[in-house]
Amino acid sequence: PAEYESDYLFATIMFASSLAWFETQHYPKESFKKVASLIKIWKKHRENVFQSTIIPIGAQPTGTTWTGFCAVSADKKSSYVLIFRELNNEATHQFEIPLLDKNAIHVKKLAGKGNAKIRNETLQVRIPNSLQYLFLEITE
């Protein structure tokens, strides 16, 4: 856990739980700022995330894969996507986003490092370094 940034650790539970449990007594102040910033963004979008169909995407997490979740809206016109680059040497990866309407092509980065775009109905993601994440919103 010492190798992971505090916001990455919080991101791992954003699509699964509304609570974050951790010891804060010896937590660095800089880490609080990173988590606080991500929590503020997450709070704006969490109701929509949890009203959506949440599906795992990418590979099963092993510590060395590209993995994540998508939360596709009921009308299939938008999705929230949370991508994790675990410990690997690949700076780019492609993901199929199940259920999402083919007209949903606008990608907005909400948090994290890197960028993403839709090309040929595939989400193409670039995250510069291992142990980083991207939180995205895809719309028509």
Side-chain angles (χ1 to χ4, degrees):
E3 299 297 319
Y4 293 86
E5 296 288 333
S6 56
D7 56 335
Y8 182 103
L9 294 173
F10 179 79
T12 64
I13 59 100
M14 288 186 350
F15 280 31
S17 173
S18 58
L19 300 174
W21 297 94
F22 51 91
E23 173 61 48
T24 60
Q25 181 179 359
H26 301 290
Y27 209 59
K29 288 182 182 180
E30 184 177 308
S31 294
F32 273 118
K33 290 178 185 177
K34 284 184 178 183
V35 171
S37 175
L38 180 57
I39 290 172
K40 184 177 180 180
I41 293 165
W42 174 73
K43 282 183 174 182
K44 290 180 186 177
H45 300 278
R46 70 179 167 188
E47 185 175 338
N48 291 335
V49 167
F50 291 124
Q51 290 178 352
S52 300
T53 300
I54 299 174
I55 304 166
I57 57 174
Q60 181 176 353
T62 63
T64 61
T65 64
W66 282 80
T67 190
F69 299 96
C70 66
V72 181
S73 64
D75 65 7
K76 300 181 182 178
K77 294 183 179 187
S78 65
S79 179
Y80 289 96
V81 179
L82 184 59
I83 302 291
F84 297 96
R85 177 181 171 192
E86 298 181 311
L87 285 171
N88 62 63
N89 294 325
E90 300 173 33
T92 61
H93 198 76
Q94 295 182 25
F95 293 88
E96 299 293 327
I97 306 299
L99 306 178
L100 189 61
D101 187 288
K102 292 179 182 181
N103 293 320
I105 59 168
H106 300 288
V107 180
K108 179 181 179 183
K109 177 176 151 181
L110 300 174
K113 295 183 179 162
N115 55 59
K117 63 184 174 184
I118 299 284
R119 177 178 256 155
N120 300 325
E121 300 176 21
T122 302
L123 181 65
Q124 298 183 352
V125 179
R126 182 181 191 296
I127 297 179
N129 297 306
S130 295
L131 304 181
Q132 294 182 341
Y133 70 95
L134 267 176
F135 182 33
L136 309 166
E137 182 178 24
I138 303 173
T139 57
E140 287 189 339

